[in-house]
């Protein structure tokens, strides 16, 4: 393990690094201050960082609130798909078009202060970041496109990813995946936080945004309430590959977030349940998207023909002229020639049978062989 990884696993603040003090204390109270002894260093680092976060967020609101609130948001493009389905790759491909903008790693971890601090602080933060994500060989640069889901940790103290930090209350945080079991107040708070974050990014860039989060896959109705003219592209992948890659991700990522000792005992059950929960809602809500504003691709097709599949997204969703971005896109694709995917052992026959049964509709919908 390199020194950066060792330091961040022991003392890194994870997605709490941009959290103000008041919100951090509320999160601690909600979890009865139950921080595992191995993670006291992380909790201390979050506490220390929350003090300047509070002051700077107050200042940022004072200076920018009026400008941001008057900003008109262009219809966003949301990338849908469960974790480990190829969303990041598609996000990175679409980000090659400078007619669009996207939230980067710094902005999603410091959503309350990035307008004030990014220029000065991002280089320091990047120095401590590993060059690759812990779960795969994808670049982890501070300016790389990142999913907006992480921003909710520091904006609301609520998000399904917070179960990685507080696994004892994973069932509580799971409600913030689909929001169907969340209270009306929690839904309103989430919608306000997302709208404000997107307005801040829109004020900064003045361009349409490309956004991704696994949670957005099962929040189509909420997203359309906020952005009626939004467009959506969904990417799916062989469910067996998603299952294996998801379990690998959880085991690799949780140590970077944990404030309680991780428990992997029911990882099979949790992986199967969350995937089914997401796609049960997705299949119900995708019909809400107006014609011409939804397109679907497979990860396998994207791997085989990256340029062609991105072109199909542009054509199906009536995005700007594809030819203008094609040269930059080809250069980016060429830069990935040495990339190697993770490899995993074969799943047991009994587990394959269970996955095929529980996720049957996904196998049938997208033409994947269940056996």
């Amino acid at each position: 393990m390199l020194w950066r990884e060792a330091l961040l696993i022991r003392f890194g603040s994870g997605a709490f690094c941009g959290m103000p003090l008041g919100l951090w204390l509320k999160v601690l109270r909600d979890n009865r201050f139950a921080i595992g002894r191995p993670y006291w260093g992380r909790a201390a680092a979050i506490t220390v960082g929350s003090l300047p976060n509070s002051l700077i967020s107050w200042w940022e609101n004072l200076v920018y609130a009026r400008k941001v609130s008057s900003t008109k948001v262009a219809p966003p493009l949301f990338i849908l798909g469960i974790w480990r389905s190829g969303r990041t790759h598609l996000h990175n491909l679409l980000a090659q078009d400078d007619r669009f903008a996207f939230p980067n790693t710094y902005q999603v971890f410091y959503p309350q202060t990035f307008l004030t601090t990014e220029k000065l602080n991002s280089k320091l933060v990047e120095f401590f970041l590993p060059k690759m994500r812990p779960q795969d060989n994808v670049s982890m640069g501070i300016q790389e496109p990142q999913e907006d889901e992480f921003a909710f940790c520091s904006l609301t103290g609520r998000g399904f990813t917070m179960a990685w930090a507080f696994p004892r209350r994973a069932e509580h945080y799971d409600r913030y995946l689909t929001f169907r079991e969340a209270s009306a107040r929690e839904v309103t708070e989430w919608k306000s936080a997302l709208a404000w974050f997107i307005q801040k990014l829109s004020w900064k860039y003045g361009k349409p945004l490309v956004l991704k989060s696994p949670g957005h896959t099962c929040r189509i109705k909420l997203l359309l309430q906020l952005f009626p003219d939004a467009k959506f592209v969904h990417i799916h992948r062989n469910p067996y590959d998603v299952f294996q890659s998801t379990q690998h991700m959880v085991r690799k990522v949780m140590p970077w977030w944990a404030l309680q000792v991780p428990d992997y005992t029911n990882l099979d059950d949790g992986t199967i349940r969350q995937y089914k929960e997401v796609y049960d809602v997705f299949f119900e809500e995708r019909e809400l998207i107006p014609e011409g504003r939804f397109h679907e691709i497979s990860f396998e097709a994207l791997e085989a023909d990256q340029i062609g599949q991105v072109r199909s997204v542009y054509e199906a969703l009536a995005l700007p002229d594809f030819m203008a971005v094609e040269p930059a896109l080809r250069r980016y694709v060429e830069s990935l020639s040495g990339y190697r995917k993770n490899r995993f052992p074969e799943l047991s026959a009994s587990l394959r049978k269970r996955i095929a049964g529980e996720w049957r509709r996904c196998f049938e919908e997208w033409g994947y062989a269940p056996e």
Side-chain angles (χ1 to χ4, degrees):
M1 184 182 297
L2 300 176
W3 71 268
R4 286 182 174 86
E5 285 85 343
L7 180 67
L8 292 176
I9 286 175
R10 188 164 182 81
F11 298 107
S13 300
F16 302 102
C17 57
M19 188 176 281
L21 178 61
L23 186 57
W24 170 231
L25 292 176
K26 181 182 182 302
V27 169
L28 288 175
R29 285 196 304 271
D30 289 346
N31 288 279
R32 300 180 181 273
F33 293 87
I35 306 297
R37 186 182 294 271
Y39 311 109
W40 286 0
R42 171 170 290 136
I46 296 170
T47 303
V48 170
S50 71
L51 298 172
N53 287 338
S54 297
L55 294 173
I56 298 171
S57 64
W58 173 82
W59 170 257
E60 182 155 305
N61 283 330
L62 181 67
V63 174
Y64 293 104
R66 184 175 297 179
K67 300 172 184 177
V68 170
S69 62
S70 63
T71 298
K72 184 177 180 180
V73 175
L77 171 59
F78 290 99
I79 300 174
L80 309 180
I82 198 76
W83 34 85
R84 313 307 300 157
S85 59
R87 290 173 306 107
T88 296
H89 185 38
L90 181 56
H91 200 195
N92 288 341
L93 288 166
L94 293 172
Q96 302 311 305
D97 191 337
D98 60 11
R99 293 168 295 185
F100 296 108
F102 52 83
N104 64 36
T105 301
Y106 186 88
Q107 291 158 357
V108 301
F109 285 128
Y110 292 92
Q112 300 213 38
T113 62
F114 70 84
L115 293 178
T116 305
T117 63
E118 183 174 9
K119 186 175 182 180
L120 293 175
N121 197 39
S122 61
K123 293 295 184 183
L124 176 63
V125 174
E126 186 168 40
F127 175 77
F128 289 100
L129 278 182
K131 302 305 179 186
M132 301 292 176
R133 302 193 306 185
Q135 69 268 34
D136 52 31
N137 297 311
V138 174
S139 173
M140 197 177 170
I142 201 71
Q143 298 297 326
E144 298 289 337
Q146 190 56 266
E147 49 191 79
D148 53 279
E149 192 69 38
F150 296 139
F152 297 113
C153 295
S154 293
L155 288 171
T156 67
R158 300 190 182 99
F160 71 86
T161 56
M162 290 191 56
W164 295 344
F166 297 103
R168 296 179 201 168
R169 297 184 72 223
E171 186 175 344
H172 169 79
Y173 288 114
D174 280 351
R175 75 179 68 187
Y176 306 124
L177 181 56
T178 69
F179 277 88
R180 293 205 165 184
E181 299 300 322
S183 68
R185 181 176 62 83
E186 289 171 332
V187 172
T188 298
E189 185 180 46
W190 176 82
K191 289 169 70 175
S192 296
L194 177 62
W196 180 248
F197 184 55
I198 288 179
Q199 270 195 303
K200 287 180 76 170
L201 291 166
S202 297
W203 181 83
K204 178 178 176 66
Y205 293 116
K207 301 176 181 180
L209 296 169
V210 181
L211 302 144
K212 76 176 178 83
S213 165
H216 292 337
T217 311
C218 51
R219 301 172 188 154
I220 293 171
K221 183 177 181 180
L222 296 177
L223 294 174
L224 285 172
Q225 289 171 359
L226 287 171
F227 309 105
D229 296 323
K231 297 181 179 182
F232 301 84
V233 55
H234 174 244
I235 183 168
H236 57 77
R237 184 182 184 186
N238 187 298
Y240 291 134
D241 294 338
V242 170
F243 180 89
Q244 290 182 296
S245 191
T246 298
Q247 295 212 325
H248 174 75
M249 175 197 70
V250 171
R251 292 179 183 276
K252 289 291 186 179
V253 170
M254 279 189 74
W256 293 61
W257 286 58
L259 289 163
Q260 297 169 348
V261 177
D263 180 7
Y264 305 116
T265 306
N266 298 313
L267 188 54
D268 285 358
D269 294 342
T271 304
I272 290 172
R273 176 185 54 77
Q274 284 194 326
Y275 184 100
K276 190 173 186 302
E277 183 179 353
V278 166
Y279 277 111
D280 282 350
V281 177
F282 169 77
F283 289 131
E284 177 185 335
E285 294 189 351
R286 69 177 173 181
E287 304 304 324
L288 299 173
I289 304 173
E291 186 177 352
R293 290 203 260 125
F294 175 79
H295 184 58
E296 190 169 73
I297 65 173
S298 74
F299 176 69
E300 292 78 11
L302 184 63
E303 271 195 313
D305 182 9
Q306 296 171 86
I307 303 298
Q309 286 299 304
V310 174
R311 181 186 289 111
S312 76
V313 174
Y314 273 69
E315 292 174 350
L317 298 179
L319 300 181
D321 180 30
F322 178 76
M323 291 183 64
V325 71
E326 187 170 358
L329 192 61
R330 289 190 180 278
R331 288 193 296 271
Y332 175 70
V333 169
E334 289 171 4
S335 75
L336 302 176
S337 59
Y339 180 79
R340 296 293 179 268
K341 293 193 299 183
N342 292 325
R343 295 184 179 276
F344 306 108
E346 285 291 323
L347 294 169
S348 68
S350 60
L351 187 53
R352 287 177 67 89
K353 183 176 181 181
R354 182 184 176 192
I355 294 169
E358 297 272 7
W359 298 353
R360 179 179 177 182
R361 181 168 183 182
C362 294
F363 281 96
E364 293 176 348
E365 184 85 18
W366 303 317
Y368 294 109
E371 297 295 342

